[in-house]
Amino acid sequence: MNGFMEMANVALERIEFFLMDRGIYMLTFILFAVGIYGMVVCGNYMKKLMCMNVMQVSIIFFFLTFGQKEGGTLPVTIAQLFSAEDYINPLPHALMLTAIVVSLGITGVGLALLMKIKELYGTIEEENITGKGGGL
């Protein structure tokens, strides 16, 4: 019984270390999985659009974590000159600003299309529009 407790403690320590070290990636994976699940299961086009936005946010979040570094400083501070390894990487942040703008554009076009679909069909439920089975 004592050996089992030691093994359980070691396993718990490994899990805690993994979550401290890689927990942010697990969060992004869970968000992405929730987005995919919603896109597949939901029969309402508005819910599908929201799930697509959740997927986009998880991808942006994932790339922003690449630019972070423990103990890193902003690359725009010139009060003291540091070596390159002391700065965080600004490229993912700049690229994700562009991705946020594209995401807003996609959402706007999607909402406009949903308004047109609602006007033409009177509903935004996939099952009523396509005649095939939807989800929730």
Side-chain angles (χ1 to χ4, degrees):
M1 184 72 166
N2 199 10
F4 175 74
M5 291 300 287
E6 289 177 17
M7 286 177 30
N9 285 336
V10 169
L12 187 61
E13 287 176 10
R14 287 183 180 173
I15 290 172
E16 286 176 357
F17 177 75
F18 177 76
L19 288 177
M20 283 189 313
D21 194 38
R22 307 271 188 235
I24 199 81
Y25 299 113
M26 294 302 294
L27 176 65
T28 58
F29 177 74
I30 290 169
L31 280 174
F32 191 77
V34 165
I36 287 179
Y37 176 78
M39 290 280 292
V40 171
V41 171
C42 291
N44 186 308
Y45 286 132
M46 182 63 151
K47 290 179 184 177
K48 286 182 183 278
L49 183 65
M50 291 188 315
C51 290
M52 186 181 69
N53 281 332
V54 168
M55 288 172 47
Q56 289 172 340
V57 166
S58 71
I59 291 169
I60 290 169
F61 194 55
F62 179 73
F63 277 102
L64 287 178
T65 57
F66 280 134
Q68 297 302 318
K69 181 187 306 186
E70 190 172 328
T73 184
L74 296 175
V76 293
T77 58
I78 15 180
Q80 296 175 339
L81 294 176
F82 298 110
S83 60
E85 59 267 358
D86 293 331
Y87 293 121
I88 60 172
N89 189 0
L91 186 61
H93 295 83
L95 290 174
M96 290 308 109
L97 279 174
T98 305
I100 291 169
V101 171
V102 169
S103 175
L104 277 170
I106 290 172
T107 303
V109 169
L111 287 172
L113 288 172
L114 282 177
M115 288 174 59
K116 194 65 171 174
I117 288 172
K118 175 77 172 170
E119 181 182 311
L120 290 174
Y121 295 100
T123 183
I124 55 172
E125 295 293 328
E126 182 178 18
E127 186 175 334
N128 297 338
I129 294 171
T130 63
K132 298 178 181 175
L136 299 173

